[in-house]
Amino acid sequence: MLDSKQLPVERAKLYARIMLGITALFLPIPIIGWENVHSQINFYVAIVHGLLIVGYIFLVKPNNLYPLTLLLHFASSVTVAMINHNVGGFVSYHFATICIELVGAGFILARGRWIFAAVGISIFTHLIAISIEMNRTWGFNDPDSLLMMSVSDNYKYLAMVSQTILLIGTGVIIAALMHVINQREQALEQSRQAMQQRSDELASLAIRLETSNQQLVSTETTLRQTVAALTVAALPVGDDVVVLPLVGGFDAQRAEAVEASLLSYLHEQRANTLILDLTSVPAASETLLTMLERIIQAARLLGARVILAGLQPEVAPMMVKLKLNRQNVLSAPTLAAALELRST
């Protein structure tokens, strides 16, 4: 998206390209009547005008937009005046073309003081052109066809005044229109800046959320690692006893981790007694019961006796569901009692 400084420059280049196209359209006319000296003059003047426009397109920048546009407007007014004067009917033709040029330049200049500077240039060149025509300073193609030569002096002066007023009025209308357009553009620019600021704030918020999410993921990973480390906190007691405190609830993943780690630990320690401390298990789930059943059976296969310690009143009834050999599984009210029971 173009910024607020580059946009008027792009408008100016577009305006200049349109002027260049119009100039190119008029080149075939003098070529057709090339044997006439006036046609040759018009051709060369049009070429000069086109070169001025091309130079404007390449040279215009944000820092020279206004003075360079005024210079092009002045050059265009002079060259158009020369062509119109050369073909006769000068004043009326020149007034029409200079008004069109003033409108185009006014939309590029945009600001009131520059628009009225262009109006001043238009009035100056037009009055000079009228003076040249009235005083026959330069020869004409067909002097009898010139309107200013065939009317009274009072009409001539009235035409000068009225056309000057019309040029001023054109400038006022352009300035008023551009004032409204500039206000709308400023409002749009403010809205764009507000949207950009909001977008930047949302982007910053997204970055903060992403950082927070990464921190949460890191914290979750740490917690998972901590839980995994505490999942099987088997404690060796003496040379042949292993105590496994069971804490909190158990899901399938945690139960599987307990089974695998504990049985591997029993095998490594060559323990003959496994004490499962259920003091911190507030309630028995199907997952917990299944895990206990599998651990007890596997421990027996490894040659270890199993003692259940600290069964809670809420858990004890659920233990009846276990398909256990009561002769191979003992129970004790506390961990201390279970440690004493191991020697029996």
Side-chain angles (χ1 to χ4, degrees):
M1 181 182 291
L2 296 174
D3 57 30
S4 57
K5 292 183 178 181
Q6 193 63 29
L7 184 58
V9 174
E10 294 302 317
R11 288 178 182 167
K13 290 182 178 180
L14 178 60
Y15 162 68
R17 292 188 187 101
I18 294 173
M19 290 180 61
L20 187 62
I22 294 173
T23 302
L25 289 176
F26 281 95
L27 286 177
I29 298 175
I31 293 177
I32 294 174
W34 188 254
E35 67 281 356
N36 190 311
V37 65
H38 297 285
S39 295
Q40 297 176 17
I41 293 173
N42 289 343
F43 178 82
Y44 292 123
V45 171
I47 291 295
V48 172
H49 188 220
L51 292 176
L52 289 173
I53 296 173
V54 171
Y56 174 83
I57 293 174
F58 282 99
L59 295 177
V60 66
K61 297 290 186 299
N63 59 342
N64 64 8
L65 172 64
Y66 300 113
L68 201 62
T69 301
L70 285 179
L71 182 61
L72 177 64
H73 177 61
F74 175 73
S76 297
S77 299
V78 172
T79 53
V80 170
M82 292 175 64
I83 293 175
N84 286 330
H85 179 78
N86 194 42
V87 298
F90 174 75
V91 172
S92 57
Y93 293 161
H94 183 249
F95 178 74
T97 54
I98 205 171
C99 283
I100 294 173
E101 286 185 355
L102 180 59
V103 171
F107 276 98
I108 302 305
L109 295 169
R111 300 177 183 177
R113 62 178 180 274
W114 291 104
I115 292 174
F116 286 110
V119 171
I121 291 174
S122 298
I123 293 174
F124 173 76
T125 56
H126 189 58
L127 292 179
I128 293 297
I130 291 176
S131 177
I132 291 173
E133 183 172 330
M134 290 176 61
N135 294 290
R136 299 176 180 268
T137 304
W138 188 17
F140 305 104
N141 183 26
D142 184 10
D144 295 333
S145 66
L146 297 179
L147 178 63
M148 295 298 286
M149 298 296 100
S150 59
V151 297
S152 65
D153 290 342
N154 290 334
Y155 184 85
K156 295 176 184 178
Y157 295 127
L158 178 61
M160 293 174 61
V161 173
S162 62
Q163 290 174 355
T164 300
I165 294 174
L166 287 174
L167 285 172
I168 295 174
T170 301
V172 171
I173 293 173
I174 296 171
L177 288 174
M178 292 310 301
H179 177 71
V180 175
I181 293 173
N182 288 335
Q183 285 186 328
R184 294 293 301 273
E185 287 186 346
Q186 289 175 0
L188 290 173
E189 178 64 18
Q190 290 174 355
S191 298
R192 187 193 67 81
Q193 291 178 356
M195 291 178 64
Q196 183 63 42
Q197 182 179 359
R198 182 59 178 167
S199 177
D200 294 341
E201 291 175 354
L202 291 175
S204 177
L205 179 59
I207 293 174
R208 291 199 299 270
L209 289 175
E210 179 64 22
T211 303
S212 300
N213 184 57
Q214 292 176 355
Q215 292 174 348
L216 288 174
V217 171
S218 177
T219 302
E220 181 182 3
T221 302
T222 302
L223 289 175
R224 286 184 179 274
Q225 293 173 348
T226 302
V227 170
L230 294 176
T231 294
V232 185
L235 306 174
V237 179
D239 296 331
D240 56 359
V241 179
V242 171
V243 177
L244 176 63
L246 297 178
V247 180
F250 289 83
D251 55 16
Q253 183 178 0
R254 188 182 180 199
E256 184 178 351
V258 169
E259 293 178 36
S261 300
L262 175 62
L263 296 178
S264 176
Y265 188 74
L266 282 175
H267 178 70
E268 291 175 1
Q269 295 294 321
R270 304 295 181 183
N272 57 26
T273 302
L274 170 62
I275 300 176
L276 298 175
D277 184 8
L278 303 174
T279 305
S280 298
V281 177
S285 63
E286 292 295 333
T287 302
L288 175 64
L289 295 176
T290 302
M291 180 190 72
L292 290 176
E293 184 174 7
R294 292 171 60 86
I295 288 176
I296 292 170
Q297 292 176 354
R300 294 300 303 160
L301 290 176
L302 293 174
R305 181 176 59 168
V306 179
I307 302 175
L308 302 178
L311 280 172
Q312 300 299 312
E314 295 82 1
V315 179
M318 299 291 293
M319 301 298 293
V320 178
K321 295 182 179 181
L322 295 180
K323 300 176 182 179
L324 303 175
N325 186 340
R326 304 302 174 184
Q327 295 178 351
N328 295 328
V329 178
L330 302 176
S331 63
T334 63
L335 178 58
L339 291 173
E340 293 177 359
L341 188 62
R342 64 173 177 151
S343 60
T344 60

